[in-house]
Amino acid sequence: MQSAVKGKLIKLDGLTLKEAVGLSGNGGTKPQPFNFGDFEELTTFRDCQRNPKNTNYTKFLAGGMKKNSRLISFIIAWMLKPRLDNHAQMSRDDTLLMHVIKKKIKIDWVSVVNDCMWKARRKEDGPIPYALLLSKIFEKAGVYLKGEKKIILHASNKIEKSSLHHMGMLKQEDKWVFKGDIPPTPEPTTDEDGIPSHDKDQPPQVKVEPDREQEAEPKPFSLFE
């Protein structure tokens, strides 16, 4: 794939991607969902679920995944194979990349980038993916960028706490967990008279009321007060 940008011919090939961001095509295998080793879409998706029995398999939704799988699906949908919408539902390509990443299979990432760019090319109203990647390629190619509009990164553009909260995670002590995985705080038990019970090894804690007669009357600092 190649294109002229402000008079500079840019090829989106392995050499360019290698120089710009160190992206390699040495894996030699172009990931194709319908012909890729032992890949089975349903098996890969099922292995990622926290509760496989309660999962709806008619739609490959990412919300019920284990923590690491959920983070990988987020990175695939937003960074590796970015798209306009429907980030919560995995496509067949997304599931294949999940399989590749989890199994640590070396693939031709150059072809993945090119395929994603080619699909974006067909949509006139769609944003161009890999904005940061292309910015580095433009700089390497010597494209004159003075006066171009710049987008400043802010909190909503970064994968930080807000993104994890959006996935339904909470920070508990020193780790992130899903809200549904936090055990509920046990409520104090009561006996038949409604009085809170206590541990047999510990005496009941009795709240002592202060002696009102011994409390000193507050003295004003001035006549006004």
Side-chain angles (χ1 to χ4, degrees), residues 23-57:
L23 196 62
S24 174
N26 295 336
T29 305
K30 187 175 181 179
Q32 296 291 341
F34 297 100
N35 184 21
F36 193 83
D38 59 347
F39 169 66
E40 291 183 6
E41 185 178 18
L42 189 59
T43 302
T44 300
F45 182 69
R46 184 182 288 113
D47 291 343
C48 296
Q49 302 306 304
R50 299 204 307 275
N51 299 306
K53 293 182 180 178
N54 299 332
T55 301
N56 180 3
Y57 290 101

Side-chain angles (χ1 to χ4, degrees), residues 3 17 20 24 30 38 88 96 112 129 146 149 152 157 164:
S3 179
L17 294 174
S24 174
K30 187 175 181 179
D38 59 347
L96 173 60
V112 174
K146 189 174 181 180
K149 182 180 178 181
I152 306 300
N157 300 125
L164 297 175

Side-chain angles (χ1 to χ4, degrees), residues 13-26:
D13 55 12
L15 181 61
T16 303
L17 294 174
K18 182 74 173 178
E19 290 179 353
V21 290
L23 196 62
S24 174
N26 295 336

Side-chain angles (χ1 to χ4, degrees), residues 217-225:
E217 289 291 329
K219 295 181 180 181
F221 291 101
S222 66
L223 293 176
F224 174 78
E225 294 180 8

Side-chain angles (χ1 to χ4, degrees), residues 21 78-79 82 113 116-117 127-139 145 149-151 153 157:
V21 290
W78 286 93
M79 298 173 66
V113 171
C116 191
M117 290 290 292
I128 298 176
Y130 310 123
L132 295 177
L133 170 66
L134 292 176
S135 297
K136 289 189 176 183
I137 292 174
F138 293 155
E139 292 173 2
L145 297 174
K149 182 180 178 181
K150 292 185 178 180
I151 297 177
L153 292 178
N157 300 125

Side-chain angles (χ1 to χ4, degrees), residues 153-166:
L153 292 178
H154 48 81
S156 64
N157 300 125
K158 298 178 182 178
I159 302 176
E160 291 185 331
K161 292 180 181 178
S162 59
S163 301
L164 297 175
H165 284 305
H166 185 70

Side-chain angles (χ1 to χ4, degrees), residues 3 57 64 79 91 94 98 116 124 143-144 177 201 211 221:
S3 179
Y57 290 101
M79 298 173 66
S91 67
D94 295 342
M98 176 75 74
C116 191
E124 294 183 1
V143 176
Y144 185 72
V177 296
D201 297 331
D211 189 354
F221 291 101

